[in-house]
Amino acid sequence: MESIVWPEGARSCVALAFDLDGPTGDAMLDGSLRHNPGHFTLGAYGPYRALRRILEVLASQQVPATFFIPTWVVTQWPRQCREIVEAGHEVAYHGHLHEPFWTLDDHRQREVMACSRKIFADLLGIQAEGFRTPSGDWGKDTAKVLLEFGVTYSSSMRGDDRPYFVNVEDQSASLVEIPARWELDDYASLAYTQAPDFPAGLDRIAPYRQVLENWCAEFDGSHAEGLCLTTLFHPKVSARPGRIALLEGFIAHMKSQHGVWFARGREVAAHWRAHHAGASIDG
Ligand SMILES: [Zn+2]
């Protein structure tokens, strides 16, 4: 395969990313969450408690990361979210209540983006430029809406194992997509809740040692081919006392290899825009 040029002569790129969803999602959107305190506290545990462990691991390993945050979470836990920014990590769009954008018309998508933009500015003092689609799919107008809000990159789709450009009809600007994949979603191996039974049909979490081996194997393949790897990790899932060692071990394994460029999403996007005229997928 052709080799990709990364900064500082690096062999491959790692863009660690965490989705700080808290209790947002379907149950909040349909109102049922208010009657389900068990589910609510399971989600709230992420920003309220588990996030701290991730920030400590990132600080001790000295690697940057990107946090995709539904802005309702920012309104409920502003201090914790400010700590992310103060630590030098990137905060980026992830809806307000984790709305699945593919179910929203373009008007509603703009309302959600405008709401998020204001909360990020008012409570965190930032102008976000990245976006990860809640629940993983776009509506037909989403790419256009994102460009209108100054978004430069998305980390939502799965079309490649390198960043790529998404062109938008009638727009001169394009989005950089940093594809994320389920292999590096901690839900796939570590999530389990009884009520609701989710993920449906998965009644046991995976052995932790095997989870770490899987994550490291994904990195090893990406590094060998000089690609870009990102993660879909959730503090409430993988930053519990018995699991944080997995994240520590994963980062330590990657750092033990030569030539890994650890970067925030916006830096990956800027680099890709400056140096690569890669294959594009029309949006
Ligand atoms: Zn999410």
Side-chain angles (χ1 to χ4, degrees):
M1 288 197 175
E2 83 289 2
S3 62
I4 297 170
V5 175
W6 295 111
E8 302 154 19
R11 181 188 181 100
S12 78
C13 168
V14 171
L16 284 171
F18 301 89
D19 297 1
L20 188 62
D21 292 342
T24 63
D26 290 350
M28 178 169 276
L29 289 165
D30 72 12
S32 63
L33 193 72
R34 297 188 189 288
H35 311 294
N36 189 337
H39 193 201
F40 184 90
T41 55
L42 197 67
Y45 177 78
Y48 175 71
R49 181 74 179 160
L51 170 65
R52 164 134 318 274
R53 293 193 188 96
I54 290 179
L55 292 177
E56 287 175 359
V57 167
L58 296 175
S60 70
Q61 305 257 19
Q62 296 187 298
V63 290
T66 302
F67 289 78
F68 296 96
I69 312 180
T71 40
W72 182 87
V73 170
V74 179
T75 67
Q76 302 302 304
W77 293 280
R79 180 175 57 77
Q80 286 85 347
C81 293
R82 271 196 287 274
E83 285 175 15
I84 296 171
V85 176
E86 287 163 4
H89 304 299
E90 178 181 2
V91 168
Y93 290 110
H94 199 44
H96 180 61
L97 286 171
H98 208 272
E99 298 86 352
F101 270 50
W102 62 276
T103 68
L104 309 180
D105 64 25
D106 60 332
H107 175 70
R108 182 67 191 131
Q109 290 179 45
R110 286 188 182 90
E111 285 184 340
V112 172
M113 289 297 292
C115 168
S116 294
R117 179 170 61 186
K118 179 164 173 32
I119 290 169
F120 279 151
D122 290 351
L123 296 184
L124 301 183
I126 64 160
Q127 190 170 355
E129 63 172 276
F131 176 85
R132 175 169 282 170
T133 320
S135 304
D137 285 299
W138 283 2
K140 72 177 177 55
D141 300 311
T142 301
K144 186 163 181 279
V145 171
L146 295 180
L147 286 178
E148 290 171 14
F149 281 83
V151 170
T152 64
Y153 79 92
S154 149
S155 180
S156 310
M157 297 301 167
R158 296 158 284 277
D160 206 321
D161 37 36
R162 305 160 295 179
Y164 58 89
F165 292 104
V166 178
N167 294 329
V168 183
E169 203 175 350
D170 301 329
Q171 302 280 322
S172 56
S174 59
L175 285 169
V176 174
E177 174 65 32
I178 304 171
R181 303 169 67 83
W182 303 133
E183 302 91 290
L184 285 166
D185 184 335
D186 51 8
Y187 263 89
S189 48
L190 296 174
Y192 172 68
T193 64
Q194 286 185 313
D197 176 12
F198 182 84
L202 179 64
D203 62 353
R204 293 289 183 275
I205 55 173
Y208 292 175
R209 188 169 48 79
Q210 291 177 10
V211 172
L212 179 56
E213 284 177 7
N214 286 356
W215 291 352
C216 290
E218 292 297 332
F219 165 78
D220 290 345
S222 178
H223 191 57
E225 293 193 18
L227 307 175
C228 175
L229 175 146
T230 189
T231 54
L232 274 158
F233 291 163
H234 303 76
K236 63 186 173 186
V237 174
S238 52
R240 299 184 195 178
R243 299 174 171 183
I244 194 67
L246 300 179
L247 181 64
E248 278 181 303
F250 184 43
I251 296 175
H253 173 75
M254 295 189 288
K255 287 193 74 176
S256 73
Q257 309 299 306
H258 282 298
V260 183
W261 182 48
F262 289 93
R264 301 160 192 81
R266 63 176 180 238
E267 293 156 351
V268 177
H271 172 77
W272 201 260
R273 207 176 284 286
H275 293 92
H276 296 277
S280 59
I281 296 176
D282 293 335

